[in-house]
Amino acid sequence: GGRLVEKRQAKFLEHKLKCTKARNEYLLSLASVNAAVSNYYLHDVMDLMDCCDTGFHVALAQLLRSYVAAESRAQVSHMQGLGSLEEAVEALDPSGDKVKVLEVHAVAFCPPQRFDYHPHEGDEVAEIRLEMELRDEILPRAQNIQSRLDRQTIETEEVSKTLKATLQVLLEAVAAEDGDALDSLQASPSTESLKSTSSDVGARQAGRRRGQQQETETFYITKLQEYLSGRSVLAKLQAKHEKLQEAIQRGDKDEQDVSWAQYTQRKQQKSRRPRPSSQYNQKLFGGDMEKFIQSSGQPVPLVVESCVRFINLNGLQHEGIFRVSGAQPRVSEIRDAFERGEDPLVEGCTPHDLDAVAGVLKLYFRSLDPPLFPPDLFGELLASAELEAVAERVEHVGRLLTQLPAPALVVLRYLFTFLNHLAQYSDENMMDPYNLAVCFGPTLLPVPAGQDPVALQGRVNQLVQTLIVQPSRVFPPVAVLPGPTYEKCMAPPSSSCLGDAQLEGLAGENEPELEAGTMAQEDDLEGVMEAVACFAYTGRTAQELSFQRGDVLRLHERASG
């Protein structure tokens, strides 16, 4: 047992010695590796870096110095440019720039030559003549233009003030938006920080501000259009007023030989004419116009012709004609007189009845049964009104109207030519083609039952406006469609405006008055007819009679048919 213990003790010591030797070698190797790694990272790496970047810092320093020098020169140049821009901003002159533009483009902006007066067939009179017969028309017109001129001046001044205030608000809004951007740039050292300062709240505020600015711009443009239109109307009214005032002050030298007593006597002689009357077989208001025309022999019904003539003589300049309603009792009175076959507008009506006369005309067309425009053409007419091209729209509407009966076309041509003439005085009566279309749209083209009037009325008005603006292109000419046409310059109604049958009736009715007036001239005046001259005439020989417009003439016999 002792030897076994000794043997095992010796083996243990041997193995312990081997382990100690191996441990020592391991520790030495570990220390050596750690020293080599530490030496690499602490010394070798630095030496390798020094080797790789040899001259780098010198080149970088030279580059940065060059960059700083270039930036300094650019900064100096930039500041000089900013200074020049600041001087240019201070020197901005809107009025001066406009003057320079007008000077550079003088040919384009130079006012054109004035329209000269072109005499027709030797008529060399180039000034407004104030004949005695026209005083009752020209004097009230001059007063109406003066009143309209005063109101238009006030309206234009108010619009001008609103326009200036709106422009100031718009400029302040633009300046505030640019000022916010400038403040952001000044407060932010870089674009990255500027981006970081933006937020959803700021974006919403900017969007709201842009929306308000767009509303202000739209309002400004609307007011600018209103101001330019008003100033144009003001210029036209002023020109008309000056011409009329010159004519009133100058007077008409050609009429000095005619005294006011003679003129008054002629007017009284005219006013003694009885109203023409006739009996109709067809109902006038609320009836069939085509049947009425066939039975009465009137290509244009008397109510239309008489109302149009009355408005032509007294109401082309009447403000709000066809828009302002007339007194209903007066409208009914005039309507009943026309229904009886009389013409109440020959006498007994004054310019104060203009709105009532206009109401009668609209009432006549509104009450026609069937209406002038057949319901089966309603859809096609509205579809043609939606065409964008004016020429195509006019052609399509004209082609559709050829389907109407000839008598209806004659009346429509007469009516819309009159409305076109009336719209030419819109600077005085404030009734342009659109306003007239709004008044006559529901009257002439009622929306058929079962369709939405609110949705279709705009298209109806657009169609009627096309007919008012383009009557000569929409309706056939007289060569194609014979019949009465509207004349712009009309004379007051006289015996020459009546038919032969009515003239004979008037002569027969006047015979008792002549017998009661002068019994001594009974034999001389038998069969004599009185007439009023619509035009002046100068006899070419001593045997020919010379007379002035408005003179009362006695017709002894008819020379020819």
Side-chain angles (χ1 to χ4, degrees), residues 47-60:
D47 293 339
L48 290 174
M49 291 177 65
D50 291 339
C51 177
C52 292
D53 64 1
T54 301
F56 171 75
H57 291 84
V58 175
L60 181 61

Side-chain angles (χ1 to χ4, degrees), residues 124-137:
E124 298 296 339
V125 179
E127 60 185 17
I128 297 177
R129 304 293 295 271
L130 188 62
E131 299 182 4
M132 288 187 178
E133 289 81 355
L134 298 178
R135 283 183 178 272
D136 294 340
E137 174 186 348

Side-chain angles (χ1 to χ4, degrees), residues 493-521:
S494 63
S495 57
S496 62
C497 301
L498 308 177
D500 292 340
Q502 293 172 330
L503 282 174
E504 295 174 359
L506 287 180
E509 293 174 5
N510 284 337
E511 285 178 1
E513 298 179 1
L514 294 175
E515 292 175 0
T518 55
M519 297 297 296
Q521 298 179 359

Side-chain angles (χ1 to χ4, degrees), residues 66 98 120 134 161 194 225-226 234 252 367 385 397 442 449 458 462 471 483 488 519 522 530 539:
S66 301
K98 286 188 292 186
H120 178 66
L134 298 178
K161 294 178 182 178
L194 180 61
Q225 294 175 344
E226 185 177 348
L234 199 62
D252 193 355
S367 63
V397 172
Q462 185 177 2
K488 292 185 177 181
M519 297 297 296
E522 181 178 0
E530 284 192 355

